[in-house]
Amino acid sequence: MKEFAYQRAEDVSGAVALLGADPDARFLGGGTNLVDLMKSGVERPGRLVDVRQLPLGAIESTPEGGLRIGATVTNSDLAAHPEVRRRYPLLTQAVLAGASGQLRNMATVGGNLLQRTRCGYFADVTKPCNKREPGTGCPALEGEHHNHAILGASEHCVATHPSDMGVALTALDAVVTYETADGPGELPLADFYLPVGDTPHRETALPPGALITGVTVPPAPVAARSRYRKVRERASYAFAIGSVAAAFDVSDGVVREVRLAFGAVASRPWRARAAERALTGVPAEAENFAAAADAELAAARPLRDNAYKVTLMRNLVVAVLTELAEEAAR
Ligand SMILES: Cc1cc2nc3c(=O)[nH]c(=O)nc-3n(C[C@H](O)[C@H](O)[C@H](O)COP(=O)(O)OP(=O)(O)OC[C@H]3O[C@@H](n4cnc5c(N)ncnc54)[C@H](O)[C@@H]3O)c2cc1C
Ligand code: SF4
């Protein structure tokens, strides 16, 4: 592991200045992803700027009725917060579906959104990888790719984004706020992650050196009836092979409003807009749920070994929406 300097930032502007002063520096949240990548040589920062002491650890109501979640709130505290559980059950479920209790105690909101892909080639510095070293190729295309992307990928990279929290926040139209040397800024999650294209190494629209300060979740009464359902290869402590975040408002048997996002199928949390359009205003019935899933998955371009994800996602959408519709009918 490369030797590195460690510094604790005292305030937000100080953290941004420390990073700006050293192109080799990285912010350190819980370290649960960054430090692993440093051990394997994927990341080789010369300096870590620890942001956990910054005053970004609160969850507060916004005047509009949403929630403002600080960037250093731990995954455990986020999942347990009574207002998160009450207003956005799918967010609590998504966070609890990720990692383990110990990891969630360390991992922060900012770090979770910026965690890197679990593609095995990315993590192995002896292998080529366009994301890690642009222009070297993508061995996953012909190699091991059973848990890679079926939507929105490119011939340059077919990796998926691993965050569960990000999928729920995408369904909730959350907005990421950040600070740079030039002042604050914000990015809706829909624009936060960049399309893969031919630049898979450029993952987000954050300006260089930006410190994530928090995430604002707008009010979403529809989320009172919501679910995050994750499919994984073992019951706990595993990343998704497919997941669905869904919020659903049904009255008189008709879908009035729906939010749907998919996880583990694309380089970013995938907002299922085509499915949402297909569902709005139709009877809340399994055949309509399946048709909506098909509308979204028509764009899927599976690889040799991951076509199963198309079926899995279709079944997952039908199962989750059926459950929510039954709940609404009670
Ligand atoms: C065994 C294991 C299983 C896991 N399973 C899951 C899972 O099932 N689902 C899931 O979603 N996740 C899972 N994770 C990933 C885990 O959730 C992430 O590692 C964690 O959320 C990252 O948060 P962190 O604060 O530790 O980030 P760090 O590792 O500290 O940082 C990650 C990245 O974010 C940057 N960063 C951190 N904070 C900020 C900030 N405020 N502003 C700007 N940049 C910042 C860092 O520079 C770094 O590039 C798992 C991890 C492990 C090790
Ligand atoms: S899928 Fe992406 S991360 Fe994986 S080897 Fe290909 S370029 Fe690298």
Side-chain angles (χ1 to χ4, degrees), residues 117 119 121-122 128-132 137-140 148 156-159 200:
T117 182
C119 172
Y121 300 105
F122 173 78
C129 167
N130 283 331
K131 189 184 273 301
R132 184 169 25 78
C138 174
H148 283 60
H156 300 280
C157 179
V158 289

Side-chain angles (χ1 to χ4, degrees), residues 14-25 27 49 181 208-209:
V16 171
L18 280 171
L19 214 80
D22 182 353
D24 218 14
F27 291 126
V49 176

Side-chain angles (χ1 to χ4, degrees), residues 161-235:
H161 196 276
S163 171
D164 291 298
M165 177 194 299
V167 183
L169 289 173
T170 295
L172 291 168
D173 287 329
V175 176
V176 176
T177 55
Y178 60 83
E179 189 73 31
T180 69
D182 299 327
E186 58 179 45
L187 280 167
L189 263 186
D191 304 327
F192 182 77
Y193 297 104
L194 296 171
V196 191
D198 56 5
T199 54
H201 57 291
R202 292 191 57 234
E203 294 179 348
T204 75
L206 277 178
L211 172 76
I212 296 181
T213 50
V215 176
T216 305
V217 189
V222 65
R225 179 163 292 114
S226 63
R227 278 281 189 296
Y228 185 76
R229 176 76 62 81
K230 170 174 174 177
V231 178
R232 43 194 156 180
E233 286 174 340
R234 53 172 196 254

